[in-house]
Amino acid sequence: MNRLLLNKIILVLSTLSAIIGISFLFWILATLTYKGVSSLHLSTFTEDLVNGGIRNLLVGQFTMALIASAIAVPIGMFAGIWLREYSNQSKLASVIRNLSDVMMSAPSIVIGVFVYALFVAPFGSYNGFAGIVALTIMMIPIIISTTDNMLALVPKELREAGIALGGSKHKIIVQIIIKAAKVGITTGVLLSFARIIGETAPLLFTSANNQFFTMDLTGQFPSLTVSIYNLATYPDEASRELAWAASFVLTAIVLIINLTGRYMTRNKK
Amino acid sequence: MSNLIMETKDFSFTYAGVDAPSLKKINLPIEKNKITAMIGPSGCGKSTLLRAMNRIHDLYPGNKYEGEINLYGAEGKENILNLKKENDLIRLRQDVGMIFQKPTPFPMSIYDNVAYGMRLAGVKDKSELDDRVEKALQDSAIWKETKDRLNTSALGMSGGQQQRLCIARAVALKPDVMLFDEPTSALDPISTGAIEELIAEIKKDVSVVIVTHNMQQASRLSDYTAFMYLGDLIEYDKTDTIFMNPNEKLTEDYITGRFG
């Protein structure tokens, strides 16, 4: 009797908790959609921030995130390949793996401060390069750990089979092992891109923000997330509406990238 | 001991980080164009010995080989334990193929799976590749099932087909010796039968060493049998002798199922 009662209590509690957790998510999405869509106009996408649009912000945010990915993905992948395929699980490898995991959970504001000291303070001005460096630093450990974990899922028999057919180690890794882990690694890259495209803290005092359209990475660089942070604190209604619209667009982008990543894993495995 | 393709002489093997050797002074002949089965309880060292014959142990650092393993290939007698350079090891593995317990198709098309080893070996000519892929698939008795879907992924085949594909892949390289590491223990009885027929068939071209837990399989399939126990080669003889009239008490106990 007692056991049945306990079972029911726990069932009710966990169902309740699940409902509470999910309802917050839907609350956020609903508010965002409601406020965001009503503030969204065609001009939001065609005008720059100075004229009440987010065109330059989107371009700026994507520029920084894409360049950061172009640097972080190869570095992270090679590091992950070294960790899993070449390190023979040595002491050094476990130190690097742990450090990378620590880096992954490092508060992003700390990375921002670090990059500020290195790439902003000496030059005397906020600049786009500093923002890219900060995003790259955030992204590398995520790519390392994804690559490492996805390669670990490839059975060791596949490596042995390749070697037994007369392959050299690097050929087997490039032509077979990475191919076998391709879907997982691609998903990891997508998810980590979704992660950094929505980051504010690392950009706050590295690239800062720019009201105008620019591709000049040596100066302040337009950022969607930093703009949302700024706009939301302004007193006028137009700014806050734009903040809602920008938040909605950002959420939509992140959601789409995330869903694409998940869709790929589900279908290809 | 007339017609050898391989032999181990006082061969000992020690895994990295372990003090005691896992194989102790093994002297085992491998007859040409015959099937040699290695049997024994788990942990007796039969797989370890098999994996020394193509030096696949070298994938993991720190293992120690002692003694000799001689291969009587096209270039005459060669102690494979003396091979140092990666290129020499690659050549060894082209001469001594290996099939694993679980089928290991590569994530590519059926055609590319079979062509892969030949491409590694430097075969570039498309028509030669086509011919040898077809021949290998025919020799492995899966040409009929695969000829209309050579360009589809090998991962979509059944387990038994995948294993025959792996055999085709190895046969395509025209090796001197094929090593089978429990090739049917992950397969159903019908697939097992097909693989056994195939092994019996290919022995006219290559010499076969097979590790198996299945004693019926060893007695059905092999010409010679080696019984191993705790890192020692207890007895080696014609398969009939081992199963009907073994010299050692230990062999008889194992064969009759008294332990193991």
Side-chain angles (χ1 to χ4, degrees), chain A residues 5 8 10 25 29 47 64 74 87 91 97 105 110 116 122 132 136 139 147 167 202 214 234 253 260-261:
Chain A
L5 188 65
K8 271 200 184 122
I10 293 191
L25 176 70
L29 284 179
E47 298 293 334
M64 286 193 288
S87 68
K91 196 101 191 178
R97 192 171 279 135
S105 42
V110 174
Y116 175 85
I132 291 171
T136 307
M139 200 171 181
T147 310
T214 176
Y234 291 160
I253 292 170
T260 312

Side-chain angles (χ1 to χ4, degrees), chain A residues 142-184:
Chain A
I142 311 179
I143 303 283
I144 291 182
S145 132
T146 313
T147 310
D148 187 20
N149 291 332
M150 289 304 139
L151 290 178
L153 290 181
V154 178
K156 76 176 198 315
E157 287 85 2
L158 210 55
R159 294 175 179 79
E160 295 183 351
I163 297 291
L165 267 184
S168 55
K169 189 165 176 175
H170 70 273
K171 275 190 189 156
I172 302 304
I173 291 172
V174 173
Q175 296 170 348
I176 298 175
I177 306 304
I178 293 188
K179 221 171 172 179
K182 192 177 63 184
V183 176

Side-chain angles (χ1 to χ4, degrees), chain A residues 88 156-158 160-169 171-172 175-176 179-180, chain B residues 51 54 56 59-61 86 90 93 98 100 104-108 116 120 169 173:
Chain A
N88 293 316
K156 76 176 198 315
E157 287 85 2
L158 210 55
E160 295 183 351
I163 297 291
L165 267 184
S168 55
K169 189 165 176 175
K171 275 190 189 156
I172 302 304
Q175 296 170 348
I176 298 175
K179 221 171 172 179
Chain B
R51 290 162 61 88
N54 66 348
I56 198 97
L59 223 53
Y60 313 97
E86 191 177 31
I90 285 174
R93 287 161 190 152
M98 182 171 235
F100 298 82
T104 51
F106 298 142
M108 42 181 93
Y116 189 74
L120 284 175
R169 199 166 70 181
L173 288 175

